[in-house]
Amino acid sequence: EDQVTQSPEALRLQEGESSSLNCSYTVSGLRGLFWYRQDPGKGPEFLFTLYSAGEEKEKERLKATLTKKESFLHITAPKPEDSATYLCAVQAANYGQNFVFGPGTRLSVLP
Amino acid sequence: KAGVTQTPRYLIKTRGQQVTLSCSPISGHRSVSWYQQTPGQGLQFLFEYFSETQRNKGNFPGRFSGRQFSNSRSEMNVSTLELGDSALYLCASSSLPLPGQNYEQYFGPGTRLTVT
């Protein structure tokens, strides 16, 4: 059965304290893995698309990496404005345009 | 470029009623997907429309339906509302990527539906 898990469920960091979020997936025929950021009461905001193992994408303090079984979102020197829920989603070959989302990691960055 | 818009932003309905939610995709995007987000189940796929045709459907009862118009705007309808239908309903739009471009799906702000 295809599934996406994320860890940790919640993470509290001090400003400037770097860390990584994990997204593990089991899916037949991965077409793409996507990272989103969601603020309370808002829709998810697109961050990255990753297609193949070894691929990396960067944006400001965020870097996403992909292996055959998992993806990491590395946050370098986070700021309080990075506080949000980070969601990963997979698109499989037999899903069409359907995404399967993980439960998310709730990140809090304290000043 | 304007983003994905959804109306209304908030709705309160009573059990047994029906509701229609609207989504306008980013200009040029022909694919519209709908998702339900709840604290317990997270984000779950409802259905996806492309060029007025439903291409993919999630595991939801037939009370949930949708349609897409020729201008790519989409509506979803929920009939005979139940308390468990209370959720944030999100619409997302995307376009077919050109060679060398990444696939990207953009979400609207959502419609918060409360069923009492």
Side-chain angles (χ1 to χ4, degrees):
Chain A
E1 182 185 327
D2 296 338
Q3 62 177 2
V4 180
T5 59
Q6 292 186 248
S7 62
E9 184 176 322
L11 181 62
R12 289 165 69 103
L13 299 173
Q14 289 297 131
E15 185 172 2
E17 180 187 1
S18 301
S19 188
S20 296
L21 312 182
N22 176 265
C23 170
S24 295
Y25 60 92
T26 306
V27 65
S28 304
L30 179 73
R31 287 177 63 187
L33 186 140
F34 305 83
W35 281 98
Y36 287 85
R37 166 199 171 122
Q38 187 174 26
D39 294 302
K42 297 187 177 181
E45 174 190 341
F46 171 80
L47 292 174
F48 302 111
T49 306
L50 300 166
Y51 287 109
S52 55
E55 190 174 359
E56 297 183 354
K57 294 275 178 73
E58 279 189 77
K59 181 179 179 180
E60 296 179 0
R61 295 177 292 282
L62 300 176
K63 182 167 90 170
T65 61
L66 180 65
T67 72
K68 287 187 177 179
K69 294 291 184 188
E70 58 192 349
S71 176
F72 292 93
L73 185 65
H74 307 278
I75 303 176
T76 302
K79 298 182 178 181
E81 53 262 41
D82 294 322
S83 298
T85 295
Y86 290 85
L87 299 162
C88 80
V90 298
Q91 187 183 30
N94 59 343
Y95 289 170
Q97 297 300 98
N98 175 19
F99 283 20
V100 175
F101 277 83
T105 292
R106 217 168 42 252
L107 174 67
S108 299
V109 182
L110 308 176
Chain B
K1 208 177 207 182
V4 180
T5 58
Q6 292 187 245
T7 57
R9 292 294 313 279
Y10 303 92
L11 264 180
I12 300 176
K13 290 286 189 177
T14 305
R15 263 184 308 175
Q17 287 186 316
Q18 76 163 19
V19 67
T20 299
L21 312 181
S22 181
C23 170
S24 292
I26 291 171
S27 177
H29 286 192
R30 293 165 62 189
S31 172
V32 174
S33 298
W34 287 89
Y35 293 83
Q36 181 195 67
Q37 187 174 33
T38 60
Q41 298 297 319
L43 262 163
Q44 292 186 286
F45 172 77
L46 281 157
F47 29 66
E48 185 247 349
Y49 286 87
F50 182 84
S51 292
E52 302 178 65
T53 301
Q54 187 182 91
R55 289 202 300 192
N56 207 10
K57 191 177 189 306
N59 194 23
F60 278 81
R63 299 185 297 107
F64 292 82
S65 63
R67 59 178 175 168
Q68 187 180 33
F69 303 95
S70 58
N71 62 357
S72 294
R73 190 178 69 85
S74 178
E75 289 181 346
M76 69 162 279
N77 185 76
V78 188
S79 61
T80 320
L81 284 165
E82 300 176 0
L83 294 178
D85 296 333
S86 294
L88 181 66
Y89 289 88
L90 292 158
C91 161
S93 78
S94 61
S95 63
L96 289 176
L98 296 173
Q101 287 185 339
N102 290 330
Y103 177 81
E104 297 176 0
Q105 187 176 76
Y106 295 92
F107 282 82
T111 295
R112 172 73 62 187
L113 172 65
T114 302
V115 182
T116 62

